[in-house]
Amino acid sequence: MKTRKLGPLNVSGLGFGTMSFASVYGPAPDKTESIAVIRGAYDLGVTFFDTAEVYGPWTNEELVGEALKPMRDKVVIATKFGFNIDPRTGTRGPGLNSRPDHVKTAIDAMLRRLGMDTIDLLYQHRVDPDVPIEDVAGAVQELIKAGKVRQFGLSEAAAVTIRRAHAVQPVAAVQSEYSLWTREPEPEVLPLCEELGIGFVPWSPLGAGFLTGKVAPATNFDATDFRSQSPRFSPQAMAANQAVVDAVERLASAKGATAAQIALAWLLARKPFIVPIFGTRRLHRVRENLGAADISLSPDEMSAIEASLSAIDVVGDRLPAGVLELSYR
């Protein structure tokens, strides 16, 4: 697979987000099966893997560390801190916690769970309004000097915050939700990343599965599936938003591709510093998604997509209110 740059990090053009192996889309899958899918993704060319301490909490980092141990020196592993997780019990409390002392304690525990000496890319998962971003960047800079972290990243941060953090410690990558039906990074964050040489990592590039065309508007999600609480996945919103999928599937049919491949290829065509991370529990979906790297969208095709989508009003917030308010600070 062709590679792209996230700051100084060289990674596969498509990365693998492992959140789906936690209890997010219903009960977590079998560990052995999960490891087989993660290693299978590597065998298919993926060298960039994403996890976080809050996935589980903790269990996802342990899974990723075990799965990628045999090829540790051949992959880039990203993880995240920032939620208020008790470092002794793993209990998640309310709000966020990016106090420098907490961050340093959290990173030591991350390294143990991942079975690594150094974290390749360490993101602040959400910006903590109670801790100046300069203090957070300074704490990560100390971790970098100590050899515990290679590069610093931010997730769901506002452009002004990214600039302030970058002035203290260069930011290698910014991660935010970005896809055909979620366009918030375009006005400010993407231009800033281009200006400062920061890589951009879209999470949920397939709209939590909806943009694949495999989620019927009448789907009833299990209570343990986070989509059951998402405004964009209410029956009414899904019915209205099917127009987005229909537009994507028309182009997919013309290209001999799947809707998922077109959604990912669209992101790859936007900017050369964009590295989407998709998630799935199934190896055949990994293989399908990676096929997006072989699809070229012409300027006319990109314009046609834009024209189709501009006529569609996406219904429903992308996240529940209590989660959405943590973004773009």
Side-chain angles (χ1 to χ4, degrees), residues 178-257:
Y178 184 40
S179 68
L180 286 163
W181 73 346
T182 299
R183 309 289 286 271
E184 283 88 341
E186 291 180 347
E188 297 183 356
V189 172
L190 283 175
L192 181 65
C193 287
E194 189 163 25
E195 174 194 340
L196 298 179
I198 298 171
F200 186 79
V201 179
W203 63 266
S204 199
L206 300 178
F210 192 74
L211 298 177
T212 67
K214 305 299 183 184
V215 179
T219 300
N220 290 316
F221 297 103
D222 187 87
T224 59
D225 188 316
F226 86 96
R227 291 173 293 186
S228 67
Q229 304 299 318
S230 175
R232 200 167 283 185
F233 282 91
S234 71
Q236 297 82 0
M238 286 195 291
N241 294 332
Q242 183 62 33
V244 177
V245 178
D246 293 343
V248 178
E249 287 186 325
R250 283 193 294 271
L251 178 57
S253 178
K255 298 284 285 186

Side-chain angles (χ1 to χ4, degrees), residues 91-217:
T91 301
R92 180 175 171 180
L96 303 166
N97 190 344
S98 281
R99 296 192 316 270
D101 59 332
H102 179 82
V103 171
K104 293 173 183 177
T105 300
I107 271 54
D108 285 340
M110 286 177 176
L111 289 168
R112 288 194 297 271
R113 289 191 293 272
L114 288 162
M116 301 178 347
D117 297 321
T118 305
I119 294 168
D120 298 314
L121 176 58
L122 179 67
Y123 294 103
Q124 182 189 36
H125 210 154
R126 292 292 188 277
V127 174
D128 187 340
D130 296 327
V131 181
I133 194 62
E134 290 82 0
D135 293 354
V136 177
V140 175
Q141 186 176 74
E142 291 180 21
L143 291 164
I144 291 172
K145 290 178 179 177
K148 296 181 179 182
V149 173
R150 289 177 63 194
Q151 298 295 331
F152 176 39
L154 294 170
S155 178
E156 292 282 320
V160 63
T161 303
I162 297 166
R163 189 180 292 278
R164 286 168 52 200
H166 190 76
V168 175
Q169 170 59 43
V171 175
V174 169
Q175 180 182 118
S176 295
E177 185 173 4
Y178 184 40
S179 68
L180 286 163
W181 73 346
T182 299
R183 309 289 286 271
E184 283 88 341
E186 291 180 347
E188 297 183 356
V189 172
L190 283 175
L192 181 65
C193 287
E194 189 163 25
E195 174 194 340
L196 298 179
I198 298 171
F200 186 79
V201 179
W203 63 266
S204 199
L206 300 178
F210 192 74
L211 298 177
T212 67
K214 305 299 183 184
V215 179

Side-chain angles (χ1 to χ4, degrees), residues 247-287:
V248 178
E249 287 186 325
R250 283 193 294 271
L251 178 57
S253 178
K255 298 284 285 186
T258 66
Q261 289 171 338
I262 294 299
L264 291 168
W266 177 83
L267 285 168
L268 292 172
R270 297 292 286 176
K271 294 290 180 180
F273 56 84
I274 289 178
V275 180
I277 52 169
F278 63 83
T280 179
R281 294 176 173 184
R282 298 173 177 84
L283 189 56
H284 74 277
R285 293 297 182 203
V286 174
R287 187 176 291 106

